[in-house]
Amino acid sequence: MINEMPQPATILVVDDLPQNRQLIELYLVRLGHRVMQAANGREAIDLLRTQRADLIMLDIMMPVMDGFETLTILKADPALRHTPVVVVSALNSTEDVARCISLGADDFLFKPVDRVLLDARVEACLVRKRLHDREQAALAAAESANRAKSDFVAILSHELKNPITGIAGYADLLLLQVFGPITAQQEEGVRVIRSLANLTKTLLADLTDLSEIDSGHLRLDPSPSRLAVAAAAASNTMRTLLADRHHRLRIDIPPDLPLVMADEVRLIQILTNLLSNAGKYTPPYGSIVLSAAQLDAAMIEVSVRDSGIGIPANEQDRIFSPFFRTMSARDGGEPGSGLGLNITRRLVELQGGRIWFSSAPNAGSTFSFTLPVAHSATTHPK
Ligand code: ADP
């Protein structure tokens, strides 16, 4: 139960008879409220477009625009639909009141208006309205804080990108001995610097993607794309990782697979991330298969299957959450931030597909996603 002190509010009284408006105004003013008056629905709506009201007391039978039409307009207007309405009607018009309630009225009073009832109903409506306004304000504040956070992350990751690229670049130059010979021990140290700088670069790129997706600023450029081309690009990026671990990668894409409608750069990113995970979370000499098939007239399904460590059942429901990593992934010492799958899922969904997986510990994992078939006959593949 919420105990609210009565607070002055602005109340619009709508009635075609001046004496009815005067009487209700008198009651409301005694309760400490400010009152505006309108002689019919049209006047009321016009007034509400320029002045805010916390509550509307609405007569039903009025010339020009009656209570039913007024309610319909109010409830269809996003700026006005949350202003509570108390219908004030003649005693013998229960059906009209019922119709008003089904149109969205919050409460009702019969004429002649009883002062005690009016007081109770007005106050109850105002308490609900204040709660609603507070919720909206809290929601707006949370949204604005979230936007500020996304902007901050975007600026920070952008600003850190240049220095970290510089660090990686100078590490490369040192390794190439451009500044003179280095000892084996120094080389080892510089390799660590370079690999940490590259990891940081990946993390910054993930954070940039995440903040752009969160703020709705991520730009996608979908076009009819050949999956086999994207798969070749992704496997090329992963070549060193897969070779270092002696994994076998098979790409199994039917030559007559229709084109997919996708942003090609993001499609390569999705495939690279799934192949990278398959490579990282599979012990050496593993087998990885990237396959695709047409699911139905509208969708193509792509899968990346590995023979790796798998994902325990009790951790599976968090796998797409940002920053989540399974215990075995963390213990295994594989580098990672836990952002890749979250971004991958959002990239798939933003392009009209969905993503899921099946996995069992030590029996491998299969990550699958869908993308729409590109249908237009006039478009050309990239
Ligand atoms: P990262 O690989 O950077 O940790 P991801 O978001 O790509 O982050 O993946 C989240 C977690 O899901 C990983 O840390 C790992 O625990 C688990 N995971 C993802 N792919 C696989 C896979 N193919 N096999 C086993 N575990 C996986």
Side-chain angles (χ1 to χ4, degrees), residues 136-150 214:
Q136 290 305 106
L139 200 67
E143 275 167 7
S144 138
N146 197 30
R147 261 196 312 278
K149 178 217 70 187
S150 292
D214 272 346

Side-chain angles (χ1 to χ4, degrees), residues 173-224:
L173 293 176
L174 283 167
L175 288 173
L176 289 169
Q177 315 225 356
V178 170
F179 306 116
I182 53 173
T183 65
Q185 209 181 4
Q186 286 167 338
E187 182 181 329
E188 203 181 307
V190 178
R191 280 193 192 285
V192 173
I193 293 175
R194 188 180 58 176
S195 102
L196 290 176
N198 285 336
L199 270 181
T200 312
K201 258 165 61 180
T202 310
L203 177 63
L204 291 177
D206 283 352
L207 285 173
T208 306
D209 281 350
L210 208 60
S211 61
E212 283 186 358
I213 296 173
D214 272 346
S215 60
H217 287 144
L218 187 88
R219 286 234 310 273
L220 289 170
D221 179 19
S223 66

Side-chain angles (χ1 to χ4, degrees), residues 277 280-281 306 310-311 319 324-326 329 336-341 365:
N277 281 349
K280 284 195 300 185
Y281 304 116
D306 63 52
I311 300 164
I319 225 65
F324 178 76
R325 308 195 71 208
T326 60
S337 62
L339 286 177
L341 279 182
S365 311

Side-chain angles (χ1 to χ4, degrees), residues 74-131:
L74 285 175
K75 294 298 162 186
D77 186 330
L80 299 175
R81 82 163 57 114
H82 296 293
T83 308
V85 177
V86 175
V87 172
V88 187
S89 78
L91 195 51
N92 57 0
S93 57
T94 316
E95 276 178 17
D96 289 345
V97 169
R99 193 173 148 206
C100 284
I101 287 183
S102 69
L103 285 171
D106 297 76
D107 212 333
F108 63 94
L109 283 167
F110 285 125
K111 292 177 192 170
V113 170
D114 178 277
R115 235 184 69 183
V116 178
L117 266 185
L118 174 125
D119 186 359
R121 290 191 165 158
V122 163
E123 207 40 52
C125 275
L126 289 175
V127 168
R128 283 203 297 274
K129 171 75 167 37
R130 277 180 216 121
L131 279 179

Side-chain angles (χ1 to χ4, degrees), residues 14 26 55 64 70 73 87 100 144 148 155-156 168 224 227 233-234 300 316 322 328 331 367 376:
V14 192
L26 189 74
L55 175 69
V64 186
T70 313
I73 293 173
V87 172
C100 284
S144 138
I155 292 167
L156 193 71
L227 188 73
I300 283 170
Q316 292 194 357
S328 44
D331 290 349
F367 280 81
S376 169

Side-chain angles (χ1 to χ4, degrees), residues 269-336:
Q269 183 179 351
I270 293 167
L271 293 171
T272 305
N273 186 44
L274 295 181
L275 284 177
S276 155
N277 281 349
K280 284 195 300 185
Y281 304 116
T282 299
Y285 298 96
S287 130
I288 299 167
V289 182
L290 193 170
S291 60
Q294 183 158 8
L295 196 62
D296 53 38
M299 297 308 254
I300 283 170
E301 181 179 326
V302 187
S303 294
V304 175
R305 193 178 75 222
D306 63 52
S307 58
I309 58 173
I311 300 164
N314 65 344
E315 296 186 296
Q316 292 194 357
D317 58 345
R318 280 171 292 164
I319 225 65
F320 289 105
S321 309
F323 301 105
F324 178 76
R325 308 195 71 208
T326 60
M327 202 105 86
S328 44
R330 277 179 280 145
D331 290 349
E334 285 305 334

